[in-house]
């Protein structure tokens, strides 16, 4: 397993030019590593956070818990992401985080992060950019779920996850891990399970992608990108080039 420090440095360098002193500051942080089981909640709505979480391996889901007990999935996080960086600046979490499949999470004490931010402002700015990227993904998700037809909605989500997986060096050929059930896919895209099945079947017939055995397989990237009306500009990944599959 790649060390937590290296995972975080690689992710932040996708959008921020870190100096050697910033990298040394990150390497001095104390991480508490924890393995998380599939569908296990490790941050709950209402928690008062004292640590920030870093995804070291696996896929993490951010969700709102409704009064009925149902979930609305808001975003997904891959290795290198800081899915609760907002917890640095709020007193109580207004959403939860759970693992989609087996995952490893590194927890960093807030007090250490604030001390590092005072010493290295560029490091602080890079974490702030993480929260701004999250906000951009939220805005795109609102547009996706409210303005795009069903097939485009699903294709767009698959494009985003594949593109981000490639930035995190998690793509193998034309495949990346995606342990997402059909029910969770529906709770992400605002679709009934019957609509999920029908829309996924339509995308498979288009020959652009497949989803099986917890893997997303992209067969025709440009065509899938066109179907999903996907432009990666909102992800603000400065080092990214278009995927070649």
């Amino acid at each position: 397993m790649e060390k937590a420090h290296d995972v975080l440095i690689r992710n932040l360098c996708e959008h921020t030019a870190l100096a050697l002193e910033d990298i040394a500051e990150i390497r001095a942080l104390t991480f508490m590593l924890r393995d998380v089981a599939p569908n296990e909640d490790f941050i709950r709505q209402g928690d008062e956070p004292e640590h920030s979480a870093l995804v070291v391996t696996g896929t993490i889901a951010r969700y709102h818990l409704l009064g009925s007990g149902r979930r609305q999935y808001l975003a997904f996080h891959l290795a290198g992401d800081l899915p609760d960086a907002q917890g640095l600046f709020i007193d109580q979490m207004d959403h939860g985080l759970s693992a989609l499949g087996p995952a490893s999470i590194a927890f960093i004490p807030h007090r250490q992060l604030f001390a590092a931010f005072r010493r290295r402002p560029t490091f602080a700015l890079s974490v702030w950019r993480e929260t701004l990227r999250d906000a951009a993904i939220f805005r795109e998700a609102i547009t996706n779920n409210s303005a795009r037809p069903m097939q485009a909605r699903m294709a767009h989500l698959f494009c985003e996850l594949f593109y981000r997986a490639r930035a995190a060096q998690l793509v193998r050929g034309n495949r990346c891990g995606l342990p997402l059930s059909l029910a969770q896919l529906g709770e992400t895209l605002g679709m009934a399970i019957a609509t999920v099945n029908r829309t996924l079947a339509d995308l498979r017939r288009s020959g652009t992608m497949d989803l099986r055995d917890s893997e997303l397989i992209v067969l025709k990237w440009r065509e899938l990108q066109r179907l999903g009306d996907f432009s990666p500009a909102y992800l603000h990944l400065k080092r990214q080039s278009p995927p070649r599959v």
Side-chain angles (χ1 to χ4, degrees):
M1 182 190 302
E2 191 176 11
K3 290 183 178 179
H5 301 84
D6 295 325
V7 171
L8 178 58
I9 291 165
R10 187 183 68 239
N11 179 54
L12 296 179
C13 285
E14 289 295 334
H15 53 70
T16 302
L18 296 176
L20 291 177
E21 294 82 358
D22 300 315
I23 292 173
E25 193 70 54
I26 294 171
R27 292 197 184 281
L29 293 171
T30 301
F31 291 86
M32 181 179 69
L33 197 64
R34 174 182 161 192
D35 292 330
V36 184
N39 299 312
E40 180 182 347
D41 294 340
F42 60 92
I43 292 177
R44 291 179 172 83
Q45 205 163 302
D47 281 355
E48 297 177 358
E50 295 181 352
H51 297 76
S52 285
L54 166 71
V55 184
V56 180
T57 65
T59 304
I60 300 304
R62 187 197 304 267
Y63 68 90
H64 265 151
L65 186 63
L66 306 180
S68 63
R70 292 183 61 248
R71 294 185 176 192
Q72 170 64 54
Y73 288 97
L74 306 169
F76 300 104
H77 295 275
L78 311 175
D81 287 352
L82 293 163
D84 72 331
Q86 297 97 329
L88 283 161
F89 311 108
I90 58 178
D91 295 329
Q92 190 176 73
M93 296 298 289
D94 57 15
H95 58 274
L97 295 168
S98 66
L100 288 182
S104 292
I105 308 297
F107 293 93
I108 316 166
H110 283 177
R111 56 181 175 77
Q112 281 197 26
L113 285 170
F114 283 125
F117 292 166
R118 286 191 290 271
R119 289 189 292 265
R120 298 301 308 169
T122 301
F123 175 36
L125 289 173
S126 70
V127 174
W128 183 35
R129 284 196 180 100
E130 282 289 293
T131 68
L132 297 179
R133 285 182 57 212
D134 282 347
I137 289 171
F138 295 157
R139 289 191 293 271
E140 190 69 24
I142 292 170
T143 300
N144 198 40
N145 284 6
S146 61
R148 291 189 177 103
M150 298 298 181
Q151 188 181 68
R153 190 181 304 181
M154 187 176 289
H156 188 281
L157 176 66
F158 290 150
C159 283
E160 178 191 298
L161 292 175
F162 187 82
Y163 198 92
R164 289 171 57 199
R166 181 177 179 272
Q169 301 177 22
L170 300 173
V171 169
R172 301 173 303 282
N174 63 342
R175 298 167 180 255
C176 66
L178 186 58
L180 190 64
S181 72
L182 296 184
Q184 289 169 326
L185 189 55
E187 289 171 332
T188 303
L189 296 173
M191 296 181 184
I193 193 68
T195 306
V196 170
N197 280 314
R198 184 171 60 251
T199 306
L200 186 56
D202 289 343
L203 281 176
R204 282 171 169 151
R205 279 194 294 270
S206 74
T208 58
M209 57 73 61
D210 200 358
L211 181 66
R212 63 177 70 249
D213 300 326
S214 296
E215 278 196 324
L216 173 62
I217 306 164
V218 175
L219 302 170
K220 297 178 181 177
W221 167 254
R222 295 298 183 190
E223 182 65 13
L224 184 64
Q225 189 177 21
R226 185 189 65 78
L227 287 176
D229 186 28
F230 175 76
S231 170
Y234 70 97
L235 295 173
H236 303 290
L237 295 173
K238 295 181 179 180
R239 291 189 179 183
Q240 272 289 83
S241 56
R244 296 174 183 175
V245 297

